[in-house]
Amino acid sequence: MSAYLVACRYALLALAKNRLAAVLLVAFIPMWITVAKTLTTPETFPFRLRATGTWLRAGGDEITMISGSLNAVSLLVGFLMFSAARRTRAFDRRLTAAGYPRTALVGAKLTALLAASLLVSAYATAWMLLFWSPLQPLLLGVAVLADCLVYGAMGMCLALFLPGEVEGLVTIIMVSIIDLAPQNPVASTTADKALVELLPSYGSLQTSLAAGFTRQATLSPLLTHSMVWLTVMTVTALAAFALRNRTHQPSARPHDDG
C-alpha cells in the first residue's frame, strides 16, 4: 500500500505541474462554453435521439454547448494524460528496473486518470449549469465524466506510441474533431447515421442530450459504447506499459562440476 501511495503522489504531482493544462482548464473551458451558448442561434431544432429513437426539440445554443463542452474536456484530459504519461515514461522504467512494483505504478496511473477526469468534468458541468438548467444535471455530469475517462485513457495509450507532445496534441485534436463534429444535430446531417455509434463520444453525447432534454435515465449508451472504448484504451495502455517496463531476471547458469 505504501508503494501505491508514493506512486500516486508522484503521478498527481506530474499532473499538477502541467501549467498549460491548468491554463486551459481555467480559461479554455469557460470560453468555449460561453462562445457556444452566446454565439449560436437559440432557434429550436427537432432531432432524433438515436439511443432511444425519441424525437426531441431543443435550442441550437444548448445543443452546441453540450457538444462544445465534450469537445473541450476531451481535448484537455486527453492532452493532460498524454503529457503526464510521456514525461514519466523514463522514470517509470528506472523504477521498475530497480524493483519497484509495477502494480503500484499502474494503480497510480488509474488513480490520476480518475482524479483528472473528476476535476475537469465537474468544472465543465458547473459552467454549463451557469447558463442552462438541464432536466437531469447529475446524469449530465456522469456523461461528461465518461468522455473525460475515455479520452484520458486514449491519451495514456498514445503516449506509449507517439514520439512527442506536438504529435500527441495534434492527434487528440483531430480525433476529437472527427468524433464530435458529425454527431452535432445542429451542425451536421450525419448525426443520425449508424456509423456515429462507433465514435468515442457517442455514448457521452447521447446521454448528455437525454439528460438535458428528457427525464429518462438513459444509461445504455454509456454502458454499451463508452465502457467499450474506455476498456479498450485502458487495457491497451496498461498492457503496453507492462511490456515496456518488464524486469528481466538474469538466468541462472548451471554449475560446472568438472
Side-chain angles (χ1 to χ4, degrees):
M1 179 61 71
S2 60
Y4 162 74
L5 294 177
V6 172
C8 275
R9 186 178 68 180
Y10 281 102
L12 294 174
L13 282 175
L15 295 179
K17 289 181 179 179
N18 193 324
R19 295 181 180 178
L20 176 58
V23 171
L24 292 176
L25 174 65
V26 173
F28 179 63
I29 288 180
M31 181 179 66
W32 194 286
I33 293 174
T34 302
V35 167
K37 175 63 178 176
T38 58
L39 297 185
T40 309
T41 175
E43 179 183 350
T44 301
F45 286 85
F47 68 96
R48 189 171 79 96
L49 187 65
R50 184 171 181 82
T52 61
T54 307
W55 279 93
L56 303 174
R57 296 185 66 88
D61 53 345
E62 295 169 347
I63 296 173
T64 303
M65 182 174 60
I66 292 174
S67 178
S69 298
L70 294 178
N71 190 204
V73 300
S74 64
L75 291 175
L76 179 55
V77 180
F79 170 69
L80 180 60
M81 295 307 301
F82 174 88
S83 178
R86 182 179 174 276
R87 292 180 181 182
T88 60
R89 187 165 53 190
F91 185 54
D92 290 338
R93 289 178 182 173
R94 292 195 295 270
L95 285 176
T96 53
Y100 205 87
R102 287 183 298 173
T103 53
L105 294 175
V106 168
K109 292 185 181 301
L110 294 177
T111 302
L113 170 61
L114 179 59
S117 299
L118 284 170
L119 173 64
V120 174
S121 61
Y123 187 68
T125 304
W127 268 96
M128 280 194 282
L129 295 179
L130 290 177
F131 291 97
W132 172 51
S133 297
L135 296 179
Q136 301 182 79
L138 180 59
L139 183 60
L140 176 65
V142 171
V144 178
L145 172 62
D147 205 42
C148 290
L149 289 170
V150 168
Y151 271 85
M154 187 184 299
M156 291 169 56
C157 187
L158 292 174
L160 297 167
F161 304 104
L162 296 179
E165 289 196 355
V166 174
E167 293 86 345
L169 181 59
V170 171
T171 301
I172 293 169
I173 290 173
M174 294 307 298
V175 170
S176 181
I177 293 174
I178 295 171
D179 177 13
L180 284 158
Q183 296 191 64
N184 188 339
V186 176
S188 175
T189 59
T190 62
D192 196 34
K193 303 295 183 183
L195 286 178
V196 300
E197 295 187 18
L198 301 177
L199 298 174
S201 295
Y202 173 80
S204 291
L205 183 57
Q206 291 290 304
T207 302
S208 295
L209 292 172
F213 310 114
T214 74
R215 297 193 180 277
Q216 182 177 356
T218 306
L219 291 173
S220 58
L222 296 181
L223 298 176
T224 58
H225 293 84
S226 298
M227 282 301 298
V228 172
W229 272 98
L230 176 59
T231 301
V232 170
M233 291 291 103
T234 303
V235 169
T236 302
L238 296 183
F241 173 82
L243 288 173
R244 291 193 175 201
N245 292 279
R246 285 180 295 181
T247 54
H248 299 280
Q249 299 294 335
S251 58
R253 294 184 178 180
H255 296 287
D256 187 359
D257 296 331

